[in-house]
Amino acid sequence: MRSPASAFPYPFADQQLPCLIGGEFVREGRSFPNVSPVNGRIIATVTEADASMVDRAVQAARAALRGPWARLTTPERCALLRKVAERIEQRFDEFVSAEIADTGKTFAQASSLDIPRGAANFRAYADLALGRASECFEMGTPDGRGALNYTVHKPVGVVAVIAPWNLPFLLLTWKAAPALACGNTVIAKPSEETPSSAALLAEVMQEVGVPPGVFNLVHGFGPESTGEALVTHPDVSAIAFTGESATGSAIMASAAPTVKRLSFELGGKNASLVFADADFEAALAGTVRSVFANCGQVCLCSERVYVERPIFERFVEALAGAARRLRVGGPYEGADMGPLISRAHRDKVLSYYRLAREEGGEIVCGGGVPRFGDERDEGAFIEPTVVRGLPEDARCVREEIFGPICHVAPFDTEEEAVRLANDTRYGLAAAVWTSNLQRAHRVARQMEVGIAWVNDWFLRDLRTPFGGVKLSGVGREGGAYSLAFFSEPMNICVKL
Ligand code: NAD
Ligand code: 6OH
């Protein structure tokens, strides 16, 4: 499993990652390198699907909608999805290695969050689809005999699943699993930065006997590449996309001429509110997690931390202290934080570190790049950073940075805290830390977001609605919301 080009285990050592089109693994046309953010080494080459390959995938997916897949009952389809979950668990170590090779994330995180959640997504949606009820409305008719209306749920058709690089397997399966559970066929496009766990998933789909064309995988970039070919294709019926708000906007424009159904989970500039009555240590530990988890590359991460004035200085000092103690390092070193996804992304995050200074902020800790004196200096590592003293209209307070950085500012009243938290064009998530029960409910409800946590962060029940308001997204996924997005409800009216 060890690649000569990689310092770490990698399931695709010495291979070119293929696309999966109509049940065939395809390596043709152009390819691009997959670079490790740990040391800058090339760990694989990846087949780039051009427009004609995307078209073949879509035609295969369309054909599969009329094949054996369409004849499976819901329990049969769900049994197959459970096999996918089981097979992911059987090949767990390979999935963990693949995810780590692409992202450099810590072994602890990949093995406790990313890959287990991928398997859990298939199980959860198998259960949800199986337990789905159909509504029935009985109505009166002039002849007194009445009629029954009942709803049947049909697949939408060919669904494009476009995923980002931050939680690659978790987010791709979060959409692919419900899409399949509802009987659709899928074209999955992982981020160009993170093709490997999706490539393993394609193998798993074949291994458990998902019929050809039901799950297709195309690798490549966005604009003028695979992503664009997919979102402009007339035979793609729906797009489930997670990524940047600007990309969502571009996809919306591309999809408009063919009027596709869209579900968008986009960027955030999430606030954490820490009240003076909060359990200090719990709020601190939770905030450290919410700012620095996955090197700050979780859409739900807090980039704005507002702390009630009586505990402000103590909290800033403790947060900076905890940030300084975070061990930054490679995936298998027991570190707390790995690298950013790429050098290009690090350049972007570092430009905000510089901007924070230029805008008048004080860098309380971090602000630069760690030096290791070994090949990790060729990677994309960055220091966890806490900033204070910026005006609320500073770009660092307004724009999504997507790195291990937060701005921390004081507030004096509950009203002010709510106003500050909501003063943003984004609206994905918020965290409220308080021991006052009434305040917890009152403040959480006033957050203009899709997801608010009280005294925790990123605690997930897969049945709950997930998504954002304002620039953070369109629609909700999770539980019945995903089933609704990936289904075409049809009413049948029976005259009795
Ligand atoms: P991105 O928008 O750059 O890319 C996401 C995906 O879209 C990739 O697969 C990319 O190849 C593809 N893509 C890019 N341009 C495209 C186009 N014109 N047409 C079709 N496909 C295109 O996002 P990213 O940098 O990979 O991920 C980070 C971003 O994702 C952050 O903004 C983060 O907040 C957001 N995110 C949001 C959520 C959420 O649930 N709301 C979750 C994770 C990440
Ligand atoms: C964004 O980076 C994290 C998204 C998480 C989910 O979509 C989830 O289902 O937990």
Side-chain angles (χ1 to χ4, degrees):
M1 260 215 336
R2 193 168 289 272
S3 157
S6 166
F8 310 120
Y10 183 60
F12 297 102
D14 309 317
Q15 288 179 40
Q16 176 170 331
L17 268 62
C19 295
L20 177 65
I21 299 177
E24 303 288 334
F25 286 106
V26 177
R27 292 177 181 84
E28 64 183 45
R30 289 214 301 238
S31 64
F32 60 93
N34 180 13
V35 176
S36 165
V38 175
N39 49 27
R41 293 199 215 177
I42 294 176
I43 50 172
T45 52
V46 187
T47 306
E48 179 181 351
D50 63 12
S52 79
M53 288 163 78
V54 168
D55 182 56
R56 270 154 51 201
V58 175
Q59 296 318 328
R62 250 172 78 97
L65 282 169
R66 298 182 296 273
W69 179 243
R71 292 188 284 280
L72 292 183
T73 61
T74 301
E76 287 166 340
R77 219 167 44 237
C78 294
L80 203 48
L81 294 186
R82 281 208 193 82
K83 281 193 193 160
V84 173
E86 275 161 32
R87 190 70 189 133
I88 292 167
E89 283 159 357
Q90 285 162 4
R91 299 186 65 180
F92 188 81
D93 292 348
E94 290 171 88
F95 273 97
V96 170
S97 306
E99 200 79 325
I100 286 175
D102 288 358
T103 60
K105 64 178 68 199
T106 64
F107 176 81
Q109 188 197 307
S111 60
S112 67
L113 172 69
D114 298 68
I115 304 308
R117 247 305 288 283
N121 286 339
F122 282 100
R123 271 206 191 92
Y125 283 108
D127 291 348
L128 284 160
L130 205 52
R132 181 189 226 182
S134 180
E135 37 185 22
C136 177
F137 298 96
E138 207 177 330
M139 67 185 287
T141 53
D143 64 8
R145 281 159 45 195
L148 282 182
N149 293 276
Y150 68 94
T151 311
V152 290
H153 298 107
K154 293 180 169 179
V156 180
V158 177
V159 172
V161 167
I162 303 182
W165 45 255
N166 62 328
L167 302 171
F169 193 57
L170 186 161
L171 289 169
L172 189 121
T173 53
W174 172 241
K175 298 171 188 304
L180 293 171
C182 294
N184 300 283
T185 57
V186 167
I187 320 278
K189 197 203 88 59
S191 165
E192 55 275 25
E193 306 277 5
T194 52
S196 302
S197 54
L200 278 180
L201 181 63
E203 291 185 2
V204 163
M205 292 288 171
Q206 299 285 91
E207 287 164 358
V208 304
V210 170
V214 171
F215 179 87
N216 305 272
L217 174 65
V218 291
H219 295 291
F221 302 85
E224 294 168 27
S225 176
T226 321
E228 188 174 311
L230 199 49
V231 299
T232 52
H233 198 293
D235 291 330
V236 168
S237 302
I239 303 169
F241 166 76
T242 297
E244 281 191 29
S245 301
T247 312
S249 166
I251 291 178
M252 204 175 230
S254 301
T258 47
V259 201
K260 299 188 194 315
R261 184 183 292 204
L262 303 174
S263 177
F264 283 173
E265 297 186 340
L266 308 176
K269 189 71 184 177
N270 309 305
S272 280
L273 302 182
V274 183
F275 287 89
D277 61 19
D279 174 335
F280 189 91
E281 292 307 325
L284 177 65
T287 305
V288 169
R289 224 160 48 83
S290 77
V291 174
F292 300 115
N294 204 45
C295 201
Q297 303 167 117
V298 181
C299 56
L300 308 161
C301 273
S302 318
E303 292 192 1
R304 299 179 298 136
V305 178
Y306 296 104
V307 185
E308 200 168 3
R309 197 167 311 263
I311 60 163
F312 179 70
E313 294 299 335
R314 185 174 155 225
F315 195 86
V316 174
E317 198 176 310
L319 183 61
R324 280 190 208 99
R325 282 192 298 278
L326 288 176
R327 289 158 304 162
V328 178
Y332 297 101
E333 296 164 19
D336 301 305
M337 215 178 83
L340 291 169
I341 190 65
S342 64
R343 276 289 176 106
H345 187 51
R346 186 172 79 172
D347 289 345
K348 176 187 156 187
V349 176
L350 282 174
S351 77
Y352 280 99
Y353 285 15
R354 278 194 299 279
L355 187 63
R357 292 185 178 91
E358 287 161 21
E359 290 184 312
E362 178 196 338
I363 308 282
V364 188
C365 69
V369 163
R371 293 287 166 214
F372 297 98
D374 56 36
E375 66 168 7
R376 290 173 296 178
D377 289 337
E378 303 307 313
F381 293 91
I382 194 163
E383 288 174 349
T385 296
V386 175
V387 183
R388 64 184 287 181
L390 285 168
E392 282 298 307
D393 63 354
R395 282 181 53 204
C396 285
V397 181
R398 309 219 62 90
E399 297 173 13
E400 182 185 53
I401 301 172
F402 220 56
I405 176 172
C406 70
H407 179 245
V408 53
F411 68 85
D412 290 300
T413 64
E414 187 180 304
E415 294 67 31
E416 185 190 10
V418 169
R419 182 178 56 72
L420 288 167
N422 289 338
D423 183 16
T424 167
R425 296 187 305 150
Y426 291 100
L428 187 59
V432 180
W433 297 90
T434 177
S435 57
N436 177 325
L437 189 62
Q438 279 79 23
R439 167 181 283 154
H441 289 281
R442 191 168 59 231
V443 172
R445 193 179 259 265
Q446 289 179 81
M447 294 293 96
E448 293 169 2
V449 295
I451 310 138
W453 279 282
V454 174
N455 296 333
D456 212 323
W457 177 77
F458 206 178
L459 182 61
R460 295 278 291 115
D461 181 322
L462 306 188
R463 298 166 299 182
T464 58
F466 186 100
V469 304
K470 303 195 241 175
L471 277 188
S472 290
V474 178
R476 291 291 178 277
E477 295 180 19
Y481 295 87
S482 293
L483 299 185
F485 177 76
F486 290 112
S487 300
E488 203 66 80
M490 178 191 175
N491 186 60
I492 297 180
C493 178
V494 183
K495 176 74 189 353
L496 299 174

